[in-house]
Amino acid sequence: MTTTRDLPTGPTRPTRPTAPDPASVRVARRLVREPFTRTTWRRTAYVLLALPIDLACIPLALLGAPTARWQRGLVRRFLGTQIPCTARAGGLPHALLATPLNLLTAFITLYGWVIVPMNLGWPLRAGDDYSRAWGGPTFAGAWAFHAVLGGIGFLLLMPWVVRGLTAVQVRVARSLLS
């Protein structure tokens, strides 16, 4: 015995598109806006200033200058983190121990941010033979590949990388300067 389904016999209502999930919209909006926020660029400025300031603090701390206060001020001004002053906090241990971390952080940050305009402007630096370039063998394919992955991809990624690197720097500063 076969059964048949009752099919609707009249006009059907068109389905409405559902609204996007508000949480996913917030995440996407934050991801796109983050490279252009003041906080991102303050963190980047801290990363770029921390290395030369730590290098300058090493000889100055040996001469008795208040380098711990300067280093706490740098963290407070650019990262918005208050580090309490204690009697045992000295600038020399922080300058010596944070310098390798600051060197690595500055290298990663500079490399990551330089990749963005370098890949967006890929045609300006590409040679005559783009057939072996990523996204090749056509010029348009190579440019699109470099612009999307290397340019826009790193533009969206670098704020989060800098955020993570500065979080490590704050932990080091808290442990050595407080």
PDB file of all heavy atoms in Angstrom, residues 38-50 53 70-82 162 166 169-170:
ATOM      1  N   ARG A  38      42.516  53.278  18.457  1.00  0.00           N
ATOM      2  CA  ARG A  38      43.600  53.955  19.155  1.00  0.00           C
ATOM      3  C   ARG A  38      44.387  52.978  20.023  1.00  0.00           C
ATOM      4  O   ARG A  38      45.603  53.070  20.133  1.00  0.00           O
ATOM      5  CB  ARG A  38      43.023  55.072  20.014  1.00  0.00           C
ATOM      6  CG  ARG A  38      44.088  55.843  20.766  1.00  0.00           C
ATOM      7  CD  ARG A  38      43.497  56.916  21.604  1.00  0.00           C
ATOM      8  NE  ARG A  38      42.797  57.862  20.739  1.00  0.00           N
ATOM      9  CZ  ARG A  38      42.147  58.909  21.182  1.00  0.00           C
ATOM     10  NH1 ARG A  38      42.085  59.148  22.462  1.00  0.00           N
ATOM     11  NH2 ARG A  38      41.561  59.725  20.342  1.00  0.00           N
ATOM     12  N   THR A  39      43.690  52.019  20.625  1.00  0.00           N
ATOM     13  CA  THR A  39      44.350  51.043  21.495  1.00  0.00           C
ATOM     14  C   THR A  39      45.373  50.214  20.731  1.00  0.00           C
ATOM     15  O   THR A  39      46.478  49.961  21.232  1.00  0.00           O
ATOM     16  CB  THR A  39      43.298  50.116  22.128  1.00  0.00           C
ATOM     17  OG1 THR A  39      42.340  50.913  22.812  1.00  0.00           O
ATOM     18  CG2 THR A  39      43.925  49.139  23.087  1.00  0.00           C
ATOM     19  N   THR A  40      45.032  49.801  19.539  1.00  0.00           N
ATOM     20  CA  THR A  40      45.967  49.009  18.732  1.00  0.00           C
ATOM     21  C   THR A  40      47.235  49.796  18.451  1.00  0.00           C
ATOM     22  O   THR A  40      48.348  49.271  18.577  1.00  0.00           O
ATOM     23  CB  THR A  40      45.305  48.589  17.411  1.00  0.00           C
ATOM     24  OG1 THR A  40      44.201  47.734  17.718  1.00  0.00           O
ATOM     25  CG2 THR A  40      46.273  47.875  16.497  1.00  0.00           C
ATOM     26  N   TRP A  41      47.087  51.053  18.094  1.00  0.00           N
ATOM     27  CA  TRP A  41      48.261  51.848  17.743  1.00  0.00           C
ATOM     28  C   TRP A  41      49.053  52.284  18.975  1.00  0.00           C
ATOM     29  O   TRP A  41      50.268  52.462  18.900  1.00  0.00           O
ATOM     30  CB  TRP A  41      47.858  53.026  16.859  1.00  0.00           C
ATOM     31  CG  TRP A  41      47.408  52.483  15.548  1.00  0.00           C
ATOM     32  CD1 TRP A  41      46.138  52.398  15.079  1.00  0.00           C
ATOM     33  CD2 TRP A  41      48.226  51.843  14.566  1.00  0.00           C
ATOM     34  NE1 TRP A  41      46.127  51.762  13.858  1.00  0.00           N
ATOM     35  CE2 TRP A  41      47.391  51.415  13.523  1.00  0.00           C
ATOM     36  CE3 TRP A  41      49.598  51.590  14.462  1.00  0.00           C
ATOM     37  CZ2 TRP A  41      47.868  50.753  12.392  1.00  0.00           C
ATOM     38  CZ3 TRP A  41      50.076  50.937  13.332  1.00  0.00           C
ATOM     39  CH2 TRP A  41      49.213  50.544  12.325  1.00  0.00           C
ATOM     40  N   ARG A  42      48.384  52.411  20.125  1.00  0.00           N
ATOM     41  CA  ARG A  42      49.123  52.675  21.368  1.00  0.00           C
ATOM     42  C   ARG A  42      49.954  51.461  21.748  1.00  0.00           C
ATOM     43  O   ARG A  42      51.093  51.590  22.195  1.00  0.00           O
ATOM     44  CB  ARG A  42      48.159  53.049  22.489  1.00  0.00           C
ATOM     45  CG  ARG A  42      47.578  54.438  22.332  1.00  0.00           C
ATOM     46  CD  ARG A  42      46.530  54.700  23.391  1.00  0.00           C
ATOM     47  NE  ARG A  42      47.142  54.916  24.682  1.00  0.00           N
ATOM     48  CZ  ARG A  42      47.303  56.095  25.235  1.00  0.00           C
ATOM     49  NH1 ARG A  42      46.903  57.173  24.587  1.00  0.00           N
ATOM     50  NH2 ARG A  42      47.850  56.216  26.410  1.00  0.00           N
ATOM     51  N   ARG A  43      49.389  50.273  21.595  1.00  0.00           N
ATOM     52  CA  ARG A  43      50.144  49.047  21.874  1.00  0.00           C
ATOM     53  C   ARG A  43      51.330  48.917  20.916  1.00  0.00           C
ATOM     54  O   ARG A  43      52.425  48.539  21.324  1.00  0.00           O
ATOM     55  CB  ARG A  43      49.236  47.830  21.744  1.00  0.00           C
ATOM     56  CG  ARG A  43      48.227  47.698  22.842  1.00  0.00           C
ATOM     57  CD  ARG A  43      47.312  46.511  22.588  1.00  0.00           C
ATOM     58  NE  ARG A  43      46.220  46.457  23.499  1.00  0.00           N
ATOM     59  CZ  ARG A  43      46.262  45.873  24.689  1.00  0.00           C
ATOM     60  NH1 ARG A  43      47.359  45.282  25.073  1.00  0.00           N
ATOM     61  NH2 ARG A  43      45.215  45.867  25.478  1.00  0.00           N
ATOM     62  N   THR A  44      51.104  49.228  19.659  1.00  0.00           N
ATOM     63  CA  THR A  44      52.190  49.156  18.682  1.00  0.00           C
ATOM     64  C   THR A  44      53.275  50.173  19.021  1.00  0.00           C
ATOM     65  O   THR A  44      54.471  49.867  18.933  1.00  0.00           O
ATOM     66  CB  THR A  44      51.644  49.400  17.257  1.00  0.00           C
ATOM     67  OG1 THR A  44      50.644  48.409  16.973  1.00  0.00           O
ATOM     68  CG2 THR A  44      52.733  49.316  16.221  1.00  0.00           C
ATOM     69  N   ALA A  45      52.885  51.361  19.429  1.00  0.00           N
ATOM     70  CA  ALA A  45      53.874  52.375  19.824  1.00  0.00           C
ATOM     71  C   ALA A  45      54.667  51.905  21.036  1.00  0.00           C
ATOM     72  O   ALA A  45      55.884  52.112  21.105  1.00  0.00           O
ATOM     73  CB  ALA A  45      53.172  53.698  20.120  1.00  0.00           C
ATOM     74  N   TYR A  46      53.992  51.262  21.991  1.00  0.00           N
ATOM     75  CA  TYR A  46      54.707  50.742  23.158  1.00  0.00           C
ATOM     76  C   TYR A  46      55.746  49.710  22.736  1.00  0.00           C
ATOM     77  O   TYR A  46      56.881  49.735  23.204  1.00  0.00           O
ATOM     78  CB  TYR A  46      53.734  50.115  24.167  1.00  0.00           C
ATOM     79  CG  TYR A  46      54.465  49.451  25.298  1.00  0.00           C
ATOM     80  CD1 TYR A  46      54.958  50.204  26.350  1.00  0.00           C
ATOM     81  CD2 TYR A  46      54.711  48.083  25.299  1.00  0.00           C
ATOM     82  CE1 TYR A  46      55.667  49.616  27.391  1.00  0.00           C
ATOM     83  CE2 TYR A  46      55.415  47.484  26.324  1.00  0.00           C
ATOM     84  CZ  TYR A  46      55.895  48.251  27.364  1.00  0.00           C
ATOM     85  OH  TYR A  46      56.601  47.669  28.376  1.00  0.00           O
ATOM     86  N   VAL A  47      55.347  48.803  21.852  1.00  0.00           N
ATOM     87  CA  VAL A  47      56.277  47.769  21.394  1.00  0.00           C
ATOM     88  C   VAL A  47      57.503  48.398  20.745  1.00  0.00           C
ATOM     89  O   VAL A  47      58.636  47.954  20.964  1.00  0.00           O
ATOM     90  CB  VAL A  47      55.566  46.806  20.415  1.00  0.00           C
ATOM     91  CG1 VAL A  47      56.543  45.934  19.668  1.00  0.00           C
ATOM     92  CG2 VAL A  47      54.551  45.953  21.159  1.00  0.00           C
ATOM     93  N   LEU A  48      57.306  49.432  19.958  1.00  0.00           N
ATOM     94  CA  LEU A  48      58.421  50.054  19.261  1.00  0.00           C
ATOM     95  C   LEU A  48      59.287  50.914  20.175  1.00  0.00           C
ATOM     96  O   LEU A  48      60.482  51.077  19.921  1.00  0.00           O
ATOM     97  CB  LEU A  48      57.899  50.885  18.084  1.00  0.00           C
ATOM     98  CG  LEU A  48      57.141  50.083  17.026  1.00  0.00           C
ATOM     99  CD1 LEU A  48      56.632  51.010  15.932  1.00  0.00           C
ATOM    100  CD2 LEU A  48      57.993  48.980  16.455  1.00  0.00           C
ATOM    101  N   LEU A  49      58.705  51.460  21.244  1.00  0.00           N
ATOM    102  CA  LEU A  49      59.475  52.295  22.167  1.00  0.00           C
ATOM    103  C   LEU A  49      60.129  51.513  23.300  1.00  0.00           C
ATOM    104  O   LEU A  49      61.119  51.973  23.874  1.00  0.00           O
ATOM    105  CB  LEU A  49      58.569  53.373  22.771  1.00  0.00           C
ATOM    106  CG  LEU A  49      58.115  54.470  21.828  1.00  0.00           C
ATOM    107  CD1 LEU A  49      57.098  55.367  22.516  1.00  0.00           C
ATOM    108  CD2 LEU A  49      59.303  55.275  21.347  1.00  0.00           C
ATOM    109  N   ALA A  50      59.583  50.361  23.635  1.00  0.00           N
ATOM    110  CA  ALA A  50      60.083  49.620  24.797  1.00  0.00           C
ATOM    111  C   ALA A  50      61.534  49.181  24.620  1.00  0.00           C
ATOM    112  O   ALA A  50      62.322  49.253  25.573  1.00  0.00           O
ATOM    113  CB  ALA A  50      59.189  48.405  25.057  1.00  0.00           C
ATOM    114  N   ILE A  53      64.063  52.214  24.910  1.00  0.00           N
ATOM    115  CA  ILE A  53      64.040  52.735  26.281  1.00  0.00           C
ATOM    116  C   ILE A  53      64.712  51.759  27.232  1.00  0.00           C
ATOM    117  O   ILE A  53      65.468  52.174  28.121  1.00  0.00           O
ATOM    118  CB  ILE A  53      62.602  53.084  26.700  1.00  0.00           C
ATOM    119  CG1 ILE A  53      62.181  54.339  25.947  1.00  0.00           C
ATOM    120  CG2 ILE A  53      62.486  53.273  28.207  1.00  0.00           C
ATOM    121  CD1 ILE A  53      60.789  54.787  26.171  1.00  0.00           C
ATOM    122  N   TRP A  70      60.483  55.331  35.143  1.00  0.00           N
ATOM    123  CA  TRP A  70      60.295  55.612  33.717  1.00  0.00           C
ATOM    124  C   TRP A  70      59.627  54.439  33.017  1.00  0.00           C
ATOM    125  O   TRP A  70      58.749  54.631  32.171  1.00  0.00           O
ATOM    126  CB  TRP A  70      61.638  55.908  33.054  1.00  0.00           C
ATOM    127  CG  TRP A  70      62.356  57.095  33.609  1.00  0.00           C
ATOM    128  CD1 TRP A  70      61.833  58.118  34.356  1.00  0.00           C
ATOM    129  CD2 TRP A  70      63.740  57.375  33.460  1.00  0.00           C
ATOM    130  NE1 TRP A  70      62.818  59.014  34.671  1.00  0.00           N
ATOM    131  CE2 TRP A  70      64.002  58.588  34.139  1.00  0.00           C
ATOM    132  CE3 TRP A  70      64.788  56.735  32.831  1.00  0.00           C
ATOM    133  CZ2 TRP A  70      65.258  59.162  34.197  1.00  0.00           C
ATOM    134  CZ3 TRP A  70      66.038  57.296  32.883  1.00  0.00           C
ATOM    135  CH2 TRP A  70      66.270  58.508  33.564  1.00  0.00           C
ATOM    136  N   GLN A  71      60.054  53.230  33.350  1.00  0.00           N
ATOM    137  CA  GLN A  71      59.487  52.052  32.713  1.00  0.00           C
ATOM    138  C   GLN A  71      58.032  51.841  33.127  1.00  0.00           C
ATOM    139  O   GLN A  71      57.198  51.469  32.298  1.00  0.00           O
ATOM    140  CB  GLN A  71      60.342  50.824  33.026  1.00  0.00           C
ATOM    141  CG  GLN A  71      61.703  50.909  32.372  1.00  0.00           C
ATOM    142  CD  GLN A  71      62.695  49.907  32.940  1.00  0.00           C
ATOM    143  OE1 GLN A  71      62.479  49.318  33.989  1.00  0.00           O
ATOM    144  NE2 GLN A  71      63.789  49.720  32.222  1.00  0.00           N
ATOM    145  N   ARG A  72      57.718  52.084  34.403  1.00  0.00           N
ATOM    146  CA  ARG A  72      56.317  51.993  34.840  1.00  0.00           C
ATOM    147  C   ARG A  72      55.473  53.053  34.140  1.00  0.00           C
ATOM    148  O   ARG A  72      54.330  52.800  33.762  1.00  0.00           O
ATOM    149  CB  ARG A  72      56.225  52.162  36.362  1.00  0.00           C
ATOM    150  CG  ARG A  72      56.564  50.922  37.136  1.00  0.00           C
ATOM    151  CD  ARG A  72      56.173  51.053  38.602  1.00  0.00           C
ATOM    152  NE  ARG A  72      56.815  52.172  39.267  1.00  0.00           N
ATOM    153  CZ  ARG A  72      58.017  52.119  39.842  1.00  0.00           C
ATOM    154  NH1 ARG A  72      58.692  50.995  39.850  1.00  0.00           N
ATOM    155  NH2 ARG A  72      58.522  53.187  40.411  1.00  0.00           N
ATOM    156  N   GLY A  73      56.033  54.240  33.966  1.00  0.00           N
ATOM    157  CA  GLY A  73      55.316  55.303  33.266  1.00  0.00           C
ATOM    158  C   GLY A  73      55.041  54.959  31.808  1.00  0.00           C
ATOM    159  O   GLY A  73      53.976  55.285  31.279  1.00  0.00           O
ATOM    160  N   LEU A  74      55.984  54.297  31.177  1.00  0.00           N
ATOM    161  CA  LEU A  74      55.780  53.879  29.785  1.00  0.00           C
ATOM    162  C   LEU A  74      54.645  52.874  29.692  1.00  0.00           C
ATOM    163  O   LEU A  74      53.781  52.986  28.806  1.00  0.00           O
ATOM    164  CB  LEU A  74      57.084  53.276  29.234  1.00  0.00           C
ATOM    165  CG  LEU A  74      57.097  52.891  27.769  1.00  0.00           C
ATOM    166  CD1 LEU A  74      57.054  54.137  26.889  1.00  0.00           C
ATOM    167  CD2 LEU A  74      58.333  52.065  27.455  1.00  0.00           C
ATOM    168  N   VAL A  75      54.614  51.917  30.590  1.00  0.00           N
ATOM    169  CA  VAL A  75      53.539  50.916  30.602  1.00  0.00           C
ATOM    170  C   VAL A  75      52.204  51.597  30.897  1.00  0.00           C
ATOM    171  O   VAL A  75      51.195  51.301  30.255  1.00  0.00           O
ATOM    172  CB  VAL A  75      53.842  49.807  31.636  1.00  0.00           C
ATOM    173  CG1 VAL A  75      52.647  48.887  31.816  1.00  0.00           C
ATOM    174  CG2 VAL A  75      55.061  49.005  31.222  1.00  0.00           C
ATOM    175  N   ARG A  76      52.188  52.510  31.851  1.00  0.00           N
ATOM    176  CA  ARG A  76      50.946  53.200  32.206  1.00  0.00           C
ATOM    177  C   ARG A  76      50.443  54.056  31.050  1.00  0.00           C
ATOM    178  O   ARG A  76      49.265  54.052  30.723  1.00  0.00           O
ATOM    179  CB  ARG A  76      51.158  54.058  33.454  1.00  0.00           C
ATOM    180  CG  ARG A  76      49.898  54.765  33.933  1.00  0.00           C
ATOM    181  CD  ARG A  76      50.128  55.645  35.154  1.00  0.00           C
ATOM    182  NE  ARG A  76      51.153  56.655  34.906  1.00  0.00           N
ATOM    183  CZ  ARG A  76      52.369  56.667  35.456  1.00  0.00           C
ATOM    184  NH1 ARG A  76      52.728  55.721  36.291  1.00  0.00           N
ATOM    185  NH2 ARG A  76      53.232  57.623  35.169  1.00  0.00           N
ATOM    186  N   ARG A  77      51.346  54.793  30.427  1.00  0.00           N
ATOM    187  CA  ARG A  77      50.928  55.723  29.362  1.00  0.00           C
ATOM    188  C   ARG A  77      50.420  55.011  28.114  1.00  0.00           C
ATOM    189  O   ARG A  77      49.411  55.399  27.545  1.00  0.00           O
ATOM    190  CB  ARG A  77      52.094  56.626  29.002  1.00  0.00           C
ATOM    191  CG  ARG A  77      51.864  57.464  27.771  1.00  0.00           C
ATOM    192  CD  ARG A  77      52.202  58.886  28.016  1.00  0.00           C
ATOM    193  NE  ARG A  77      52.115  59.638  26.787  1.00  0.00           N
ATOM    194  CZ  ARG A  77      51.137  60.478  26.536  1.00  0.00           C
ATOM    195  NH1 ARG A  77      50.201  60.673  27.412  1.00  0.00           N
ATOM    196  NH2 ARG A  77      51.104  61.145  25.405  1.00  0.00           N
ATOM    197  N   PHE A  78      51.122  53.975  27.678  1.00  0.00           N
ATOM    198  CA  PHE A  78      50.773  53.350  26.408  1.00  0.00           C
ATOM    199  C   PHE A  78      49.864  52.131  26.547  1.00  0.00           C
ATOM    200  O   PHE A  78      49.105  51.832  25.634  1.00  0.00           O
ATOM    201  CB  PHE A  78      52.040  52.954  25.641  1.00  0.00           C
ATOM    202  CG  PHE A  78      52.741  54.131  25.051  1.00  0.00           C
ATOM    203  CD1 PHE A  78      53.799  54.716  25.711  1.00  0.00           C
ATOM    204  CD2 PHE A  78      52.340  54.670  23.853  1.00  0.00           C
ATOM    205  CE1 PHE A  78      54.446  55.816  25.189  1.00  0.00           C
ATOM    206  CE2 PHE A  78      52.972  55.775  23.310  1.00  0.00           C
ATOM    207  CZ  PHE A  78      54.029  56.347  23.986  1.00  0.00           C
ATOM    208  N   LEU A  79      49.951  51.411  27.657  1.00  0.00           N
ATOM    209  CA  LEU A  79      49.146  50.204  27.813  1.00  0.00           C
ATOM    210  C   LEU A  79      48.023  50.366  28.828  1.00  0.00           C
ATOM    211  O   LEU A  79      47.184  49.480  28.965  1.00  0.00           O
ATOM    212  CB  LEU A  79      50.041  49.022  28.200  1.00  0.00           C
ATOM    213  CG  LEU A  79      51.143  48.692  27.197  1.00  0.00           C
ATOM    214  CD1 LEU A  79      51.962  47.514  27.685  1.00  0.00           C
ATOM    215  CD2 LEU A  79      50.569  48.420  25.824  1.00  0.00           C
ATOM    216  N   GLY A  80      48.022  51.480  29.559  1.00  0.00           N
ATOM    217  CA  GLY A  80      46.942  51.731  30.495  1.00  0.00           C
ATOM    218  C   GLY A  80      46.959  50.833  31.718  1.00  0.00           C
ATOM    219  O   GLY A  80      45.919  50.625  32.341  1.00  0.00           O
ATOM    220  N   THR A  81      48.109  50.299  32.080  1.00  0.00           N
ATOM    221  CA  THR A  81      48.233  49.408  33.224  1.00  0.00           C
ATOM    222  C   THR A  81      49.031  50.090  34.318  1.00  0.00           C
ATOM    223  O   THR A  81      50.164  50.517  34.085  1.00  0.00           O
ATOM    224  CB  THR A  81      48.932  48.101  32.806  1.00  0.00           C
ATOM    225  OG1 THR A  81      48.174  47.495  31.760  1.00  0.00           O
ATOM    226  CG2 THR A  81      49.032  47.145  33.969  1.00  0.00           C
ATOM    227  N   GLN A  82      48.436  50.183  35.476  1.00  0.00           N
ATOM    228  CA  GLN A  82      49.094  50.795  36.630  1.00  0.00           C
ATOM    229  C   GLN A  82      49.910  49.718  37.346  1.00  0.00           C
ATOM    230  O   GLN A  82      49.380  48.688  37.730  1.00  0.00           O
ATOM    231  CB  GLN A  82      48.051  51.387  37.577  1.00  0.00           C
ATOM    232  CG  GLN A  82      48.617  52.171  38.712  1.00  0.00           C
ATOM    233  CD  GLN A  82      49.185  53.508  38.256  1.00  0.00           C
ATOM    234  OE1 GLN A  82      48.787  54.059  37.249  1.00  0.00           O
ATOM    235  NE2 GLN A  82      50.138  54.007  38.996  1.00  0.00           N
ATOM    236  N   VAL A 162      49.762  41.820  18.336  1.00  0.00           N
ATOM    237  CA  VAL A 162      50.325  42.869  19.192  1.00  0.00           C
ATOM    238  C   VAL A 162      49.677  42.829  20.573  1.00  0.00           C
ATOM    239  O   VAL A 162      50.346  43.005  21.589  1.00  0.00           O
ATOM    240  CB  VAL A 162      50.167  44.256  18.526  1.00  0.00           C
ATOM    241  CG1 VAL A 162      50.553  45.374  19.467  1.00  0.00           C
ATOM    242  CG2 VAL A 162      51.000  44.325  17.264  1.00  0.00           C
ATOM    243  N   THR A 166      51.952  42.319  23.900  1.00  0.00           N
ATOM    244  CA  THR A 166      51.983  43.317  24.968  1.00  0.00           C
ATOM    245  C   THR A 166      51.435  42.750  26.275  1.00  0.00           C
ATOM    246  O   THR A 166      51.826  43.212  27.354  1.00  0.00           O
ATOM    247  CB  THR A 166      51.216  44.591  24.581  1.00  0.00           C
ATOM    248  OG1 THR A 166      49.888  44.245  24.171  1.00  0.00           O
ATOM    249  CG2 THR A 166      51.930  45.346  23.482  1.00  0.00           C
ATOM    250  N   GLN A 169      54.413  41.325  27.823  1.00  0.00           N
ATOM    251  CA  GLN A 169      55.271  42.398  28.324  1.00  0.00           C
ATOM    252  C   GLN A 169      54.731  42.995  29.623  1.00  0.00           C
ATOM    253  O   GLN A 169      55.503  43.339  30.518  1.00  0.00           O
ATOM    254  CB  GLN A 169      55.434  43.484  27.258  1.00  0.00           C
ATOM    255  CG  GLN A 169      56.302  43.054  26.106  1.00  0.00           C
ATOM    256  CD  GLN A 169      56.402  44.115  25.043  1.00  0.00           C
ATOM    257  OE1 GLN A 169      55.409  44.711  24.655  1.00  0.00           O
ATOM    258  NE2 GLN A 169      57.619  44.360  24.570  1.00  0.00           N
ATOM    259  N   VAL A 170      53.422  43.109  29.748  1.00  0.00           N
ATOM    260  CA  VAL A 170      52.832  43.633  30.978  1.00  0.00           C
ATOM    261  C   VAL A 170      53.082  42.666  32.136  1.00  0.00           C
ATOM    262  O   VAL A 170      53.392  43.086  33.248  1.00  0.00           O
ATOM    263  CB  VAL A 170      51.315  43.900  30.790  1.00  0.00           C
ATOM    264  CG1 VAL A 170      50.618  44.107  32.121  1.00  0.00           C
ATOM    265  CG2 VAL A 170      51.100  45.104  29.902  1.00  0.00           C
TER     266      VAL A 170
END
